[in-house]
Amino acid sequence: MSAENTIDHLLDETRRFAPSPEFAAAAIARPELYEKAEADREGFWAEQSRELLHWHTPFTEVLDWSNPPFAKWFADGELNVAYNCLDRHVEAGNGDRVALLWEGEPGDSRRITYAELTDEVKRLANVLTDLGVGEGDRVALYLPMIPEAVASMLAVARVGAIHSVIFGGFSADSLRSRIDDAGAKLVITADGGWRKGKVSPLKTAVDQALADRGGQGEQATVEHVLVVRRGENEVDWDADRDVWYHDVVPQASAEHEARAFGAESPLFILYTSGTTGKPKGILHTSGGYLTQAAYTHRNVFDLHPETDVYWCTADIGWITGHSYVVYGPLANGATQVLYEGTPEHPEPGRWWDVIEKYGVTIFYTAPTAIRSFMKQGRQIPQARDLSSLRVLGSVGEPINPEAWIWYREVIGAGTTPIVDTWWQTETGAIMVSALPGITETKPGSAQVALPGISIDVVDDAGSPVGNDAGGLLVITEPWPSMLRGIWGDPERYKETYWDKFRDQGYYFAGDGARLDEDGDIWLLGRVDDVMNVSGHRLSTAEIESSLVAHEATAEAAVVGASDETTGQAVVAFVILKENYLKEHGPEGLAQTLRQHVSDQIGAIARPRDIYIVGELPKTRSGKIMRRLLRDVAEGREVGDTTTLADTMVMSTISAQVK
Ligand code: PRX
């Protein structure tokens, strides 16, 4: 959807939904939260942190912003993140509470209590120590959605090491560049994981990533690969390097003391796409991150840990899986569903079956999933009992009012509050969202900054646009779970997020937004060359560089075109090399190139459409005008072409595409 269309569309939306009096009366978050945070922001965060976490050494400092944009939160405090997510619940007498209700795609299941998960993580922590992993070391995780994935993240955190989780859908190439960038010492993977009824060969990809080292003199940092048995598929084995999880973890000692680490010790690196070809390793640290993950999880989802069954459908390979499958819920002692597979397997109602089976009360998913369920029809969810649901959440991209209403009516029986949560890999936790017992919700709007968070919408010069106007979303004050940098590249961190509004000291999120007449926030999508496909971030530059790496391609331009289901879809315009064309002809090339991108980056980056064209629209300074290509890809009248070096080029392209 182009920004203009979105605005027109949103302005028609006038429906409002207040929480029921019963919901409001029992809600965790009270309106006083806003007042308290307003009165003393730092004091508010300090209080949240003390209330929600266990500090081995209490902090006395809250925020240190003496060297912006490098923040420190609670810097003189010490804690152990895994202890906060596990041991303390057991010590408080809740060891028998179920932590994970795990459902495998083939239909197998496991129930794991807090006591059991704590035990597993302690053993695994001992194994990590035996494998030479200690404070500050990097561990790459390439795993399916199985309990061992959660245990691995926590065990890495427990010994003060840093995890870098790589989504299982990424290719061996993507895996290699992430392992190398972080200098990982250990990789934890599985033989395979179940997806769509098949086993995806994860270990094979790890073997490839560690084998074909691209450049000369490249030194593999990985010493061991720890392998969970899940897929029961055949794998190659390097006896010096590879270790079966089941050979070492059950045998390891379950005694493990959680040492305290400084609040600012790195917890994880998570790679995300930016505007250049190279993914950025977003760095998060411990105390501030865990504070905001726990605070938002509790208040935004109205978590009552004794009675709720929570389910976030995100994969742990994304930030949502870090903050709202692992750290937030476990810090809060929640009982949650963890599901391995895809929504359609073995049939389209699988997610609703899971909700019925476990009596899920809080459900958090992405608009792209909701839209694909809408397409399949309401009869599918309506054939299940979804009456346990009481809060619904949305994340990853703007949710259009039609999908919002469908979500509430069909999934939420017309009664559940919906929280549309805006945030990013970089923000670490939710920043903008309704609070379900307080806010009167508006379909399509993410609405208001959470208590403790300062957001504004400004023009290009950094001045607030005020109500009833559009501009750029900025974060005007540091927040506890903010990224602390880009791994190995402090300059890029400053440039990417802080340079645009350097004078004001604002963090620039890269999103366009509009404030309505009540001051509520409506997100309008990215303003840079980042696409959002099914709620996942992809960089146009990264896909372009993959395309031009193919021998057939001379030049490529990629745009995100609006797509009914996935929000945006990848559309590529490619110029072929003359020689290649002469020798091979264009037959089947689009398909070859699509596969090439999939192999190089991962299936999520595979272009929906590839158009072979003779030229690309460029300005006189040689910059590709993606806006015009987007017009073509979306079947619109092509916009203003006067700044093109060759004003005829667009009519040629339009003709070729037709
Ligand atoms: O454009 C915004 C969009 O997703 C981007 C962040 O992507 P990522 O770091 O992958 O994290 C996704 C999950 C937090 C943002 O810059 N986005 C995320 N949530 C929303 C959203 N756009 C509109 N509404 C949302 N609720």
Side-chain angles (χ1 to χ4, degrees):
M1 230 183 286
S2 76
E4 303 89 89
N5 296 348
T6 322
I7 294 174
D8 287 349
H9 197 66
L10 295 178
L11 287 180
D12 299 339
E13 183 52 60
T14 53
R15 289 169 284 194
R16 302 287 179 268
F17 300 90
S20 71
E22 302 78 55
F23 192 105
I28 299 270
R30 302 273 149 195
E32 300 85 76
L33 270 190
Y34 290 104
E35 287 154 33
K36 273 197 191 165
E38 188 68 32
D40 174 11
R41 223 174 53 83
E42 287 183 29
F44 170 81
W45 282 118
E47 189 184 318
Q48 290 300 327
S49 189
R50 290 191 187 106
E51 205 178 287
L52 291 162
L53 305 186
H54 172 84
W55 288 87
H56 277 69
T57 311
F59 56 87
T60 62
E61 297 163 18
V62 183
L63 168 66
D64 175 356
W65 193 233
S66 56
N67 179 30
F70 298 93
K72 289 185 185 153
W73 282 86
F74 316 120
D76 64 344
E78 289 185 320
L79 79 172
N80 184 290
V81 169
Y83 175 87
N84 270 280
C85 293
L86 299 166
D87 315 46
R88 70 168 166 142
H89 303 311
V90 179
E91 287 166 18
N94 293 320
D96 291 339
R97 185 184 293 164
V98 174
L100 301 177
L101 292 160
W102 178 74
E103 171 98 354
E105 195 188 73
D108 47 342
S109 62
R110 288 162 67 187
R111 261 170 189 269
I112 299 173
T113 64
Y114 272 93
E116 288 163 345
L117 190 59
T118 305
D119 182 271
E120 177 91 358
V121 169
K122 286 180 173 177
R123 290 175 199 274
L124 183 51
N126 282 320
V127 168
L128 294 182
T129 307
D130 290 347
L131 291 174
V133 174
E135 186 175 356
D137 288 335
R138 275 80 62 207
V139 178
L141 271 51
Y142 189 62
L143 284 160
M145 287 291 282
I146 52 178
E148 288 81 357
V150 176
S152 297
M153 289 167 76
L154 293 169
V156 170
R158 191 175 185 95
V159 301
I162 307 169
H163 57 70
S164 162
V165 183
I166 297 140
F167 174 57
F170 277 122
S171 67
D173 276 342
S174 297
L175 183 56
R176 182 198 309 114
S177 63
R178 286 158 173 77
I179 288 173
D180 286 350
D181 187 73
K185 201 169 186 183
L186 174 74
V187 179
I188 308 182
T189 188
D191 51 355
W194 288 94
R195 275 192 87 73
K196 301 189 183 164
K198 286 203 244 85
V199 172
S200 58
L202 298 168
K203 168 74 162 61
T204 310
V206 172
D207 290 340
Q208 276 170 14
L210 298 182
D212 33 277
R213 324 285 317 160
Q216 263 94 36
E218 237 179 302
Q219 197 63 48
T221 51
V222 173
E223 293 169 7
H224 290 287
V225 179
L226 186 61
V227 189
V228 181
R229 182 134 77 200
R230 168 61 188 152
E232 305 284 343
N233 48 322
E234 290 254 333
V235 290
D236 291 340
W237 204 253
D238 175 340
D240 294 329
R241 188 195 68 187
D242 301 344
V243 181
W244 280 112
Y245 186 101
H246 62 256
D247 278 346
V248 288
V249 177
Q251 288 80 344
S253 161
E255 298 293 317
H256 186 277
E257 200 190 331
R259 217 182 104 199
F261 297 97
E264 283 297 335
S265 0
L267 178 61
F268 65 85
I269 305 169
L270 184 58
Y271 287 85
T272 187
S273 297
T275 51
T276 72
K278 189 172 179 273
K280 303 175 280 200
I282 302 299
L283 177 68
H284 283 286
T285 59
S286 303
Y289 170 79
L290 197 63
T291 298
Q292 197 175 329
Y295 158 78
T296 49
H297 180 257
R298 183 176 135 89
N299 288 292
V300 171
F301 299 112
D302 190 45
L303 180 82
H304 293 72
E306 308 78 22
T307 48
D308 275 316
V309 178
Y310 164 84
W311 183 21
C312 165
T313 63
D315 191 281
I316 51 146
W318 310 111
I319 189 68
T320 309
H322 283 59
S323 304
Y324 300 106
V325 175
V326 181
Y327 293 110
L330 296 176
N332 288 334
T335 294
Q336 69 174 321
V337 169
L338 187 72
Y339 171 58
E340 179 184 32
T342 49
E344 315 77 29
H345 196 84
E347 41 126 8
R350 183 67 188 272
W351 275 10
W352 318 123
D353 286 338
V354 170
I355 291 179
E356 181 177 290
K357 176 172 173 187
Y358 296 105
V360 172
T361 58
I362 305 170
F363 182 60
Y364 189 32
T365 195
T368 186
I370 299 165
R371 287 192 297 265
S372 67
F373 296 134
M374 280 172 81
K375 261 205 208 151
Q376 291 158 2
R378 59 178 67 204
Q379 70 286 354
I380 297 174
Q382 278 173 347
R384 275 83 178 178
D385 178 6
L386 305 180
S387 60
S388 54
L389 289 170
R390 61 177 203 89
V391 180
L392 300 176
S394 172
V395 61
E397 56 182 309
I399 178 166
N400 48 312
E402 293 72 24
W404 196 103
I405 294 288
W406 188 92
Y407 197 22
R408 179 169 163 110
E409 303 262 293
V410 180
I411 307 305
T415 56
T416 53
I418 295 183
V419 286
D420 174 9
T421 61
W422 178 89
W423 58 295
Q424 308 177 297
T425 304
E426 291 86 345
T427 70
I430 300 171
M431 303 293 281
V432 178
S433 171
L435 288 176
I438 302 175
T439 319
E440 187 182 58
T441 52
K442 297 179 179 175
S445 170
Q447 297 197 293
V448 283
L450 288 180
I453 299 297
S454 304
I455 299 269
D456 207 347
V457 177
V458 298
D459 64 18
D460 234 16
S463 306
V465 295
N467 290 358
D468 208 10
L472 304 171
L473 192 77
V474 292
I475 306 171
T476 59
E477 297 287 346
W479 62 104
S481 65
M482 67 194 285
L483 76 165
R484 299 303 197 261
I486 294 177
W487 183 255
D489 203 345
E491 276 312 307
R492 191 175 176 197
Y493 166 63
K494 286 197 241 171
E495 259 167 48
T496 312
Y497 304 106
W498 301 92
D499 264 9
K500 185 156 175 76
F501 298 113
R502 197 178 351 177
D503 296 345
Q504 297 81 357
Y506 294 165
Y507 168 92
F508 173 47
D511 280 28
R514 186 180 166 80
L515 295 177
D516 67 14
E517 49 206 19
D518 305 323
D520 281 328
I521 301 166
W522 299 73
L523 273 309
L524 301 174
R526 303 287 307 190
V527 296
D528 52 14
D529 292 331
V530 174
M531 293 169 287
N532 188 325
V533 178
S534 299
H536 300 316
R537 258 159 82 168
L538 294 170
S539 130
T540 53
E542 195 180 352
I543 300 177
E544 283 165 4
S545 70
S546 160
L547 284 166
V548 295
H550 192 274
E551 51 172 347
T553 314
E555 252 190 286
V558 166
V559 298
S562 71
D563 182 281
E564 224 181 279
T565 308
T566 59
Q568 284 191 310
V570 180
V571 176
F573 295 82
V574 174
I575 303 178
L576 296 177
K577 285 185 187 143
E578 292 287 336
N579 309 349
Y580 189 93
L581 263 183
K582 269 190 211 130
E583 252 175 69
H584 304 269
E587 249 78 290
L589 242 185
Q591 187 49 33
T592 308
L593 290 174
R594 290 174 75 232
Q595 190 54 42
H596 168 77
V597 173
S598 179
D599 293 343
Q600 280 220 320
I601 304 177
I604 43 165
R606 188 201 312 262
R608 184 191 69 188
D609 306 316
I610 291 195
Y611 298 116
I612 311 283
V613 295
E615 269 178 278
L616 292 171
K618 289 184 186 160
T619 60
R620 279 171 207 100
S621 61
K623 195 169 159 19
I624 294 174
M625 291 191 70
R626 290 199 178 71
R627 171 172 63 78
L628 301 175
L629 292 174
R630 212 171 293 128
D631 289 341
V632 174
E634 294 177 352
R636 254 195 316 277
E637 188 77 25
V638 172
D640 184 8
T641 57
T642 47
T643 53
L644 283 180
D646 170 4
T647 50
M648 286 306 293
V649 70
M650 282 317 296
S651 41
T652 318
I653 292 177
S654 301
Q656 280 168 330
V657 165
K658 277 197 191 100

